[in-house]
């Protein structure tokens, strides 16, 4: 089925019309087609493991049988604490064959973050080397609150992890059940019939990153697939012949939605790098594997720009896309010179998928404008609305970025897990607008520019200032590698700006450089928008997905100034 027809079919389905997710994402594709290329650095060479759709289909059916033997079935929540691997994708397909709901966990999570996200889980599947993360969650008897399944040869002692005790559950001797054992067990039994999902059935529960409060559980319904497929096809222009690489981690929305689910739904190949981020390795993979279509957070592009080691210019790139945080205006120009192609900015949220940006698809392509994310993507209508009245604002005005729900056929979010419909603060009272929590402006052509989070906005002498504009100007300075801008109280102006800067390798911190940065902002942006104080730091606090925690920087400064007590 062609992508346009698939999107139309997904959109036209009644919410009660069931869909076999395993068939849609895997079984219907040619068995011999490569679905995943798992890349591992092996000394001077790259080890590439190609996995076909046929292998995914067989292994996930077998694993579904093994998991069913543990009692996993429709409606059960199962978390994965796993790196990028073929096994992760096999687990996801097996869960969806059974009607189980997937809870992604980022591999860098500590035990507290895991506990907060697994309260509803019946089981946790984890890589063997991540078992220590689960150990602090044992109760007084030494058991975990869920069945633990281990991916790898290392097994956990019975005293540490509860295992299923039903006959024939394929528990590894002296330890928790392993994926390998469950697959072997499932291969010898009749596989369960594949579950069929109604459009409103949640097949994922994904937690927000928590940049503006406690992480919230987002139920992702089966009908959200239409949005993921549309973005993969139109904005990323993921073609059958592409070597496609989305670097984002599947523990977060962009990685799960568009590095795994989107490619599988289209029957395309996707590349998974089983290694920690390293700029030199990233350039090597782009070059040696002849990647044609690349997506990553702006943090990745900045790291590539600041890399001071040997540079290998990729030779095959056709598309580069960025998502997850604001794209600095200088990065597209840098990428065009050093990667051979510009970068298109895209914007989305856990609750939405991707909704804004400059698409790559011919016939849909919009020329990017530095500093602007682009227009609404097909299937979405957005506007900048007044904070109080929720009425659309004129071009150029900064206000709340909002999704026009009735005019957005791809809109799928309705509530957080455990809460009622239209959660307070996320929808306008009449239900028309979904409020993203971000500030933006739009030009006459409907191209949006990010201005900051609602709680990041700075009000100085009557001016509403989004920190992103100032940060982007600071990042233009050759001495600056990373920048964040916040505000402190000022008796005269209400608030004044302060900057937190991570320097490029050759830069020397000091008052002379701080003065130069202030002058740079005055000349490039506006005389009143310069940071009164510049703090030089080794790093900036950020979420696991790379978003700077400005609120944490503000609290640090407030504690230094004696405005708030230190955290206990």
């Amino acid at each position: 089925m062609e992508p346009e027809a698939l999107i139309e079919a997904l959109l036209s389905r009644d919410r009660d019309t069931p869909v076999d997710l395993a068939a849609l994402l895997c079984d219907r594709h040619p068995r011999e087609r490569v679905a995943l290329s798992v890349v591992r650095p092996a000394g001077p060479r790259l080890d590439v493991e190609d996995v076909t759709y046929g292998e995914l289909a067989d292994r996930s059916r077998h694993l579904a049988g093994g998991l069913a033997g543990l009692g996993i079935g429709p409606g059960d929540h199962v978390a994965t604490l796993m790196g990028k691997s073929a096994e992760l994708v096999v687990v996801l397909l097996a869960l969806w064959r059974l009607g189980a709901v997937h809870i992604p966990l980022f591999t860098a999570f500590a035990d507290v973050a895991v506990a907060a996200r697994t309260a509803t889980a019946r089981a946790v599947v984890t890589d063997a080397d991540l078992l220590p993360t689960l150990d602090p969650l044992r109760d007084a008897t030494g058991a975990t609150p869920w069945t633990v399944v281990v991916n790898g040869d290392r097994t956990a002692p019975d005293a540490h992890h509860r295992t299923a005790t039903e006959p024939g559950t394929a528990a590894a001797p002296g330890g928790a059940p392993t994926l390998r054992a469950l697959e072997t067990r499932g291969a010898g039994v009749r596989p369960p019939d594949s579950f069929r999902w109604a459009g409103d059935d949640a097949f994922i529960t994904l937690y927000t990153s928590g940049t503006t409060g406690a992480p919230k559980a987002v139920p992702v319904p089966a009908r959200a697939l239409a949005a993921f497929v549309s973005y993969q096809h139109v904005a990323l222009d993921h073609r059958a012949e592409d070597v496609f690489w989305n670097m984002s981690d599947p523990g977060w929305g962009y990685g799960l939605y568009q590095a795994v689910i989107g490619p599988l739904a289209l029957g395309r190949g996707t590349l998974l790098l089983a290694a920690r981020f390293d700029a030199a390795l990233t350039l090597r993979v782009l070059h040696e594997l002849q990647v044609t279509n690349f997506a990553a957070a702006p943090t990745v592009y900045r790291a590539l720009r600041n890399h001071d080691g040997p540079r290998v210019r990729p030779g095959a790139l056709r598309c580069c896309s960025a998502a997850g945080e604001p794209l600095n205006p200088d990065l597209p120009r840098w990428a065009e010179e050093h990667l051979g192609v510009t970068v298109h900015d895209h914007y989305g949220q856990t609750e939405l998928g991707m909704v804004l940006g400059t698409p790559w698809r011919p016939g849909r392509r919009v020329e990017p404008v530095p500093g602007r994310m682009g227009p609404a993507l097909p299937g979405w209508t957005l506007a900048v609305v007044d904070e109080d009245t929720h009425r659309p604002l004129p071009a150029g005005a900064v206000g709340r970025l909002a999704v026009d729900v009735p005019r957005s056929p791809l809109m799928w979010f309705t509530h957080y897990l455990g809460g009622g419909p239209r959660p307070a603060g996320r929808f306008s009272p009449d239900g028309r607008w979904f409020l993203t929590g971000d500030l933006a402006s739009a030009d006459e052509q409907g191209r949006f520019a990010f201005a900051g989070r609602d709680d990041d906005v700075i009000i100085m002498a009557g001016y509403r200032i989004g920190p992103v504009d100032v940060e982007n100007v600071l990042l233009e300075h050759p001495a600056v590698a990373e920048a964040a801008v916040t505000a402190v109280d000022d008796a005269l102006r209400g608030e004044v700006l302060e900057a937190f800067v991570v320097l490029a390798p050759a830069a020397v911190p000091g008052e002379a450089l701080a003065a130069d940065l202030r002058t740079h902002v005055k000349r490039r942006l506006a005389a009143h928008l310069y940071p009164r104080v510049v703090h030089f730091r080794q790093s900036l606090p950020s979420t696991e997905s790379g978003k700077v925690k400005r609120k944490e920087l503000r609290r640090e400064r407030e504690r230094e100034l004696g405005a708030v007590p230190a955290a206990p």
Side-chain angles (χ1 to χ4, degrees), residues 59-404:
R59 290 188 62 186
S60 61
R61 285 194 187 98
H62 297 161
L63 182 57
L67 291 172
L70 295 181
I72 304 298
D76 286 332
H77 288 197
V78 177
T80 56
L81 184 63
M82 303 175 71
K84 301 169 189 174
S85 64
E87 286 71 27
L88 171 62
V89 180
V90 169
V91 170
L92 301 187
L93 291 170
L95 294 178
W96 296 332
R97 289 185 190 281
L98 295 172
V101 181
H102 172 227
I103 302 175
L105 300 174
F106 185 49
T107 53
F109 278 158
D111 58 288
V112 174
V114 170
R117 291 162 171 81
T118 55
T120 62
R122 176 160 184 175
V124 173
V125 184
T126 181
D127 290 338
D129 60 349
L130 295 173
L131 276 168
T133 303
L134 306 182
D135 287 339
L137 303 178
R138 300 190 305 254
D139 64 19
T141 69
T144 55
W146 0 256
T147 297
V148 174
V149 179
V150 181
N151 173 38
D153 295 328
R154 176 183 163 193
T155 56
D158 281 332
H160 286 187
H161 299 277
R162 189 186 75 205
T163 60
T165 56
E166 297 88 339
T169 55
T178 66
L179 284 182
R180 183 179 301 170
L182 292 178
E183 275 193 57
T184 301
R185 171 66 180 172
V189 300
R190 181 181 181 276
D193 293 335
S194 195
F195 185 82
R196 298 184 69 84
W197 299 78
D200 282 339
D201 288 342
F203 71 114
I204 299 166
T205 295
L206 182 56
Y207 283 76
T208 61
S209 60
T211 54
T212 57
K216 297 177 283 291
V218 177
V220 182
R223 59 190 173 87
L225 280 168
F228 305 157
V229 171
S230 180
Y231 173 77
Q232 196 80 25
H233 176 59
V234 176
L236 295 178
D237 191 25
H238 187 177
R239 304 177 185 179
E241 66 271 19
D242 270 332
V243 178
F244 174 78
W245 185 17
N246 181 342
M247 281 197 74
S248 299
D249 194 281
W252 300 105
Y254 193 57
L256 182 60
Y257 299 163
Q258 310 303 162
V260 177
I261 295 174
L264 293 182
L266 289 176
R268 308 286 196 247
T270 188
L271 189 155
L272 302 175
L273 178 62
R276 297 175 68 89
F277 173 75
D278 175 81
L281 176 61
T282 301
L283 290 169
R284 185 177 160 201
V285 172
L286 290 170
H287 172 70
E288 293 187 22
L289 300 187
Q290 293 291 283
V291 173
T292 60
N293 197 327
F294 181 59
T299 298
V300 169
Y301 292 102
R302 289 196 295 269
L304 296 181
R305 180 194 61 190
N306 297 333
H307 174 56
D308 57 359
R311 292 183 181 272
V312 180
R313 181 186 173 99
L317 279 172
R318 179 178 63 84
C319 304
C320 280
S321 305
E325 55 178 313
L327 180 70
N328 317 113
D330 65 308
L331 286 177
R333 295 190 296 272
W334 171 87
E336 194 161 2
E337 180 179 352
H338 295 276
L339 301 181
V341 64
T342 189
V343 182
H344 283 198
D345 196 9
H346 297 156
Y347 167 90
Q349 292 189 329
T350 303
E351 296 93 333
L352 303 171
M354 307 304 293
V355 296
L356 290 176
T358 49
W360 282 102
R361 188 75 182 170
R364 297 281 193 177
R365 184 168 177 174
V366 177
E367 283 303 312
V369 176
R372 293 200 171 273
M373 299 178 287
L377 294 171
W380 298 94
T381 301
L382 286 90
V384 177
V385 302
D386 181 83
E387 182 176 0
D388 299 318
T389 66
H390 301 118
R391 292 175 181 167
L393 294 172
V398 174
R400 305 184 75 179
L401 181 62
V403 176
D404 192 336

Side-chain angles (χ1 to χ4, degrees), residues 453-528:
R453 294 288 306 181
D454 270 352
D455 63 348
D456 286 338
V457 70
I458 299 163
I459 302 177
M460 186 176 72
Y463 294 99
R464 290 173 63 87
I465 302 167
V468 173
D469 288 339
V470 186
E471 291 167 356
N472 285 338
V473 171
L474 286 168
L475 286 163
E476 292 176 358
H477 195 285
V480 177
E482 299 283 342
V485 171
T486 64
V488 295
D489 291 340
D490 180 81
L492 177 61
R493 301 173 183 86
E495 292 180 315
V496 294
L497 303 183
E498 294 196 353
F500 298 81
V501 170
V502 177
L503 294 179
V508 178
E511 180 51 37
L513 178 55
D516 189 39
L517 292 177
R518 288 193 288 267
T519 301
H520 174 72
V521 173
K522 290 178 183 179
R523 289 175 176 170
R524 293 284 293 113
L525 191 59
H528 68 287

